[in-house]
Amino acid sequence: MLQMVRGCAGSVTSARTGCVPPWRVMRASWVAAPPEHVACMAAHEGTITGVGVGPGVGVGLGEGLGVGLGDSLGEADAPADAEGVLWEATPAVPPHAATANIAMTAASLVPTGKTNERVGARVTRLGFEVTAHTISPAVTALNEQRFNEVKTLLGIVLLAFSACLDAPPVLTADISASATQAATVGGRAQLVVNVTNTGPALSHVGLTFMSADKWYERHKVTDLGGCTVELDHSALDCGDLAAGASATFSITGTAIEAGTFHYQLALRELVRPFRFVNDHADGADLQTWNETVALS
């Protein structure tokens, strides 16, 4: 047990004395009042020797600090150097209740890295952050994909619906064709096409050759019968034909080379979307014939 006053300290249990800095003071309230304190010190009488310095009645060179304290309570200076619990010899003062001071230091505020979570509680642990960045990209991408799918589906539905609403009427007509099938080089040949429009009005009726042989190429045309040659469409443009109207297109020419030629003729409009007359899933109706041209 160590007694310490300002500047000096002494150990009751180890009989050691020593000096401490004059500004160092330690306080403790191990017992509740001075009488108990004195009794505790008396129990260790004879275990330490030292020089008492200060006012009061006591033995200057005694065999124990207990004798000095038995005669007088006051301040005493006794050098000591000892390890143990530090106690202060206090002057005689009215008894006071036991106290204890707890100092809060910066070290006590240093986080330990542990959490005070309750068992079973669901909390986010340190080091894992849930932010909008970790969630939003995935959710945004999913919403974008669904939006694109819905947009595509709506586009198809609207396209089909508009096609039904805006579907143009079918072009129909009664068509017959007659042509010279045997001729001589330099001889006269003729192509006659009769058309009765049984559908809506036709714009730029085209006598279109679907075969490799084209009549206006195998003959020197002398009369186009009111039509014009449209090389880009392999056709003769014979103008418009109103609904229910009929027309006869007679084209005349002379054969320019010998051989046998095969012709396929269909009617179509020579304006966009270039629809065929009497069109079907397997193709438009065709007028077909062969022509043999002999040498003169």
Side-chain angles (χ1 to χ4, degrees):
M1 179 181 303
L2 184 66
Q3 295 295 326
M4 176 179 175
V5 295
R6 192 177 302 275
C8 299
S11 175
V12 175
T13 56
S14 61
R16 300 177 63 185
T17 63
C19 294
V20 295
W23 58 83
R24 183 173 180 183
V25 176
M26 296 293 291
R27 298 178 182 274
S29 298
W30 181 30
V31 293
E36 288 81 1
H37 195 175
V38 173
C40 180
M41 298 297 296
H44 295 81
E45 182 178 356
T47 62
I48 186 169
T49 61
V51 178
V53 179
V57 179
V59 179
L61 292 174
E63 293 183 345
L65 184 59
V67 175
L69 290 176
D71 296 337
S72 173
L73 293 176
E75 292 187 357
D77 293 332
D81 183 10
E83 295 181 356
V85 180
L86 298 180
W87 298 88
E88 178 186 11
T90 60
V93 295
H96 59 86
T99 60
N101 295 327
I102 300 176
M104 181 179 291
T105 64
S108 66
L109 301 178
V110 177
T112 61
K114 299 180 181 179
T115 60
N116 59 345
E117 61 178 313
R118 295 170 55 187
V119 177
R122 301 179 62 184
V123 298
T124 302
R125 294 191 175 275
L126 182 64
F128 180 79
E129 296 182 356
V130 179
T131 64
H133 178 73
T134 60
I135 297 176
S136 295
V139 176
T140 302
L142 181 60
N143 290 339
E144 235 179 81
Q145 180 181 359
R146 290 180 177 175
F147 175 75
N148 290 334
E149 291 175 356
V150 172
K151 185 171 67 173
T152 302
L153 181 60
L154 287 177
I156 294 174
V157 172
L158 290 176
L159 182 62
F161 185 69
S162 62
C164 293
L165 292 179
D166 302 333
V170 178
L171 304 181
T172 59
D174 292 333
I175 306 170
S176 63
S178 59
T180 302
Q181 298 184 4
T184 59
V185 174
R188 184 176 181 272
Q190 190 175 27
L191 170 62
V192 178
V193 179
N194 298 306
V195 179
T196 300
N197 186 6
T198 59
L202 300 175
S203 300
H204 293 272
V205 175
L207 306 182
T208 306
F209 290 93
M210 308 296 293
S211 56
D213 293 325
K214 298 169 177 54
W215 199 91
Y216 58 82
E217 291 179 346
R218 301 303 179 190
H219 300 80
K220 183 180 179 181
V221 179
T222 56
D223 185 1
L224 286 172
C227 301
T228 58
V229 177
E230 292 289 339
L231 297 178
D232 291 341
H233 299 97
S234 302
L236 300 173
D237 186 347
C238 299
D240 299 339
L241 186 62
S246 297
T248 299
F249 308 106
S250 180
I251 297 96
T252 304
T254 57
I256 58 177
E257 63 178 311
T260 300
F261 307 101
H262 180 72
Y263 302 102
Q264 291 181 331
L265 181 70
L267 257 64
R268 71 183 302 187
E269 288 186 316
L270 298 182
V271 293
R272 293 184 183 278
F274 303 102
R275 294 185 298 158
F276 283 91
V277 179
N278 298 336
D279 198 8
H280 309 284
D282 57 349
D285 290 346
L286 298 175
Q287 306 296 317
T288 63
W289 71 95
N290 292 327
E291 180 186 25
T292 301
V293 177
L295 294 172
S296 55

